[in-house]
Amino acid sequence: MSTAGDPILATIDARSWARRLGSYRQPDPRRSVVELVITAVPFALAWAAMLTALKLDQFWLYALLVLPAAGLLVRLFMIQHDCGHGSFFSNRTGNDWTGRVIGVLTMTPYDHWRRAHAIHHASAGNLDRRGIGDIDTLTVDEYLARSRWGRLRYRLYRHPLVMFGLGPIYVFLLESRLPIGFARKGWTPWVSTMTTNLGIAVAAGLLMWAVGIGPFLLVHLPIVILGAAAGVWLFYVQHQFEGTHWDDNESWEFHEAALHGSSHYDLPAVLRWFSANIGMHHVHHLCARIPYYRLPEVLRDHPELRDVGRLTLWESFGCVRLTLWDDRQRRLISFREMRALYR
């Protein structure tokens, strides 16, 4: 795992890299269509196969299919994500309507999410602009200044069972049904949220009518819950790792925060495909208009970027313990380290 003291980090000029990577921003329309087809069609087939397995009492097949089906839903979300950045198709209409339709499947209101995600990109790593589109992270001093109840709430929030279990269920099934945090930001968040809710209701209603309420829930809910958990995990390790980069507003610089505050989650090839290369997050934050299928080109052509913030699958499990930002050491630390150092 790369750390803040890695010489690679000290020698790479993030701003100049952002300019150099601009040549990768152009999407290939045919490739984008193929990527959409090879994700959406297998998802529909996996969904139908799970339903068939249930009806035939082939529970082993049902269990075997639920993970790849959830992985395909994650991949659909990543296509929606690229649409939100305007990088999947070359025109805005194609991006927006593809994103809106996929948003019904992912239960994520596209236009509302796009706005919140843009704020995340514009403020990632900025200690003075936390709170929208990110994982809530306290500094050591902020945590110690809280009451006992306030500390307990934060500990519960950061507990793995909440963060990757209850949390994703709450975010995707409940919180996304209203424009939380944007209720007074005009009509767009409300229209986006309510039309997505209507689309979900119509699609779910038709499927329940066609296959039955019980079979629909038994097939779709596990896919959504597992996909949501995987999505939150990916987002978590992309910014919550030992060598990440945070600054106060006065010292914060967009390009430095993008390159050094985002990990290169170096996943095995199969997981990289299901996650649509989102693990190459340092490159994505540095130039968000690069289509996900072109991110490997960047690392192939510029191997010096491969070790920046690199995090293997095994190493990523250790990120769960990192819960507080230590301003003194300029790194994330665990609750145990905090007690040893500051109490």
Side-chain angles (χ1 to χ4, degrees):
M1 182 191 304
S2 297
T3 66
D6 193 315
I8 293 175
L9 299 184
T11 58
I12 291 182
D13 182 346
R15 187 182 294 271
S16 68
W17 272 110
R19 291 193 295 268
R20 292 173 67 180
L21 298 182
S23 60
Y24 296 88
R25 293 187 301 175
Q26 186 62 35
D28 178 347
R30 290 175 296 181
R31 175 69 183 273
S32 295
V33 170
V34 169
E35 291 287 328
L36 183 58
V37 169
I38 65 175
T39 307
V41 171
F43 175 76
L45 292 174
W47 204 99
M50 286 178 65
L51 178 65
T52 302
L54 276 178
K55 289 186 175 181
L56 297 177
D57 294 331
Q58 300 297 315
F59 298 112
W60 64 271
L61 181 58
Y62 167 87
L64 192 66
L65 289 168
V66 67
L67 281 177
L72 289 164
L73 186 64
V74 170
R75 201 168 197 269
L76 282 169
F77 182 86
M78 295 309 169
I79 292 175
Q80 178 184 354
H81 165 266
D82 266 26
C83 290
H85 284 293
S87 62
F88 196 67
F89 291 112
S90 56
N91 63 86
R92 179 165 181 174
T93 300
N95 282 310
D96 287 349
W97 283 104
T98 301
R100 287 166 186 152
V101 171
I102 295 176
V104 173
L105 293 174
T106 61
M107 306 187 74
T108 304
Y110 169 77
D111 294 279
H112 171 46
W113 172 86
R114 182 181 61 181
R115 181 179 294 187
H117 192 64
I119 294 173
H120 161 69
H121 268 259
S123 60
N126 189 324
L127 288 168
D128 296 317
R129 296 182 63 192
R130 288 167 286 169
I132 296 180
D134 56 11
I135 302 293
D136 288 349
T137 306
L138 295 179
T139 68
V140 170
D141 291 339
E142 288 169 344
Y143 175 78
L144 293 176
R146 285 195 166 194
S147 65
R148 181 175 296 182
W149 170 237
R151 294 183 191 182
L152 177 60
R153 282 189 301 163
Y154 184 68
R155 281 179 170 273
L156 289 173
Y157 169 78
R158 298 292 299 218
H159 193 282
L161 290 178
V162 175
M163 182 68 67
F164 309 113
L166 298 177
I169 295 172
Y170 169 75
V171 169
F172 285 90
L173 296 184
L174 298 176
E175 186 179 69
S176 294
R177 309 284 62 82
L178 290 171
I180 303 298
F182 288 79
R184 299 182 180 180
K185 300 294 183 179
W187 58 268
T188 299
W190 285 100
V191 171
S192 174
T193 303
M194 294 304 122
T195 54
T196 301
N197 290 344
L198 178 61
I200 293 170
V202 170
L206 288 173
L207 283 168
M208 288 179 184
W209 174 77
V211 305
I213 296 175
F216 170 79
L217 294 176
L218 286 172
V219 171
H220 201 61
L221 276 183
I223 294 174
V224 170
I225 290 171
L226 288 174
V232 170
W233 170 257
L234 286 168
F235 186 76
Y236 181 91
V237 298
Q238 287 157 5
H239 297 285
Q240 302 276 321
F241 62 104
E242 191 171 349
T244 193
H245 181 94
W246 290 72
D247 270 314
D248 57 29
N249 193 57
E250 185 176 344
S251 304
W252 182 84
E253 199 279 323
F254 172 81
H255 299 93
E256 288 293 321
L259 182 60
H260 303 320
S262 308
S263 67
H264 172 204
Y265 195 18
D266 196 0
L267 291 167
V270 172
L271 296 180
R272 196 159 59 241
W273 187 87
F274 277 108
S275 61
N277 301 318
I278 198 64
M280 302 172 192
H281 213 61
H282 59 322
V283 178
H284 167 66
H285 260 258
L286 197 57
C287 191
R289 290 294 299 273
I290 299 176
Y292 71 74
Y293 51 78
R294 298 200 66 184
L295 291 173
E297 292 180 43
V298 175
L299 296 189
R300 182 196 65 202
D301 296 343
H302 304 286
E304 57 269 47
L305 290 174
R306 292 175 183 168
D307 290 328
V308 178
R310 183 174 178 270
L311 191 67
T312 66
L313 179 62
W314 178 254
E315 289 172 332
S316 70
F317 299 132
C319 295
V320 175
R321 66 180 179 82
L322 302 175
T323 51
L324 296 164
W325 176 256
D326 188 342
D327 282 317
R328 300 164 185 83
Q329 299 188 71
R330 294 187 54 76
R331 67 181 183 93
L332 287 170
I333 64 173
S334 66
F335 288 123
R336 180 176 296 181
E337 289 177 283
M338 182 274 299
R339 287 195 301 270
L341 290 169
Y342 302 112
R343 294 189 67 179

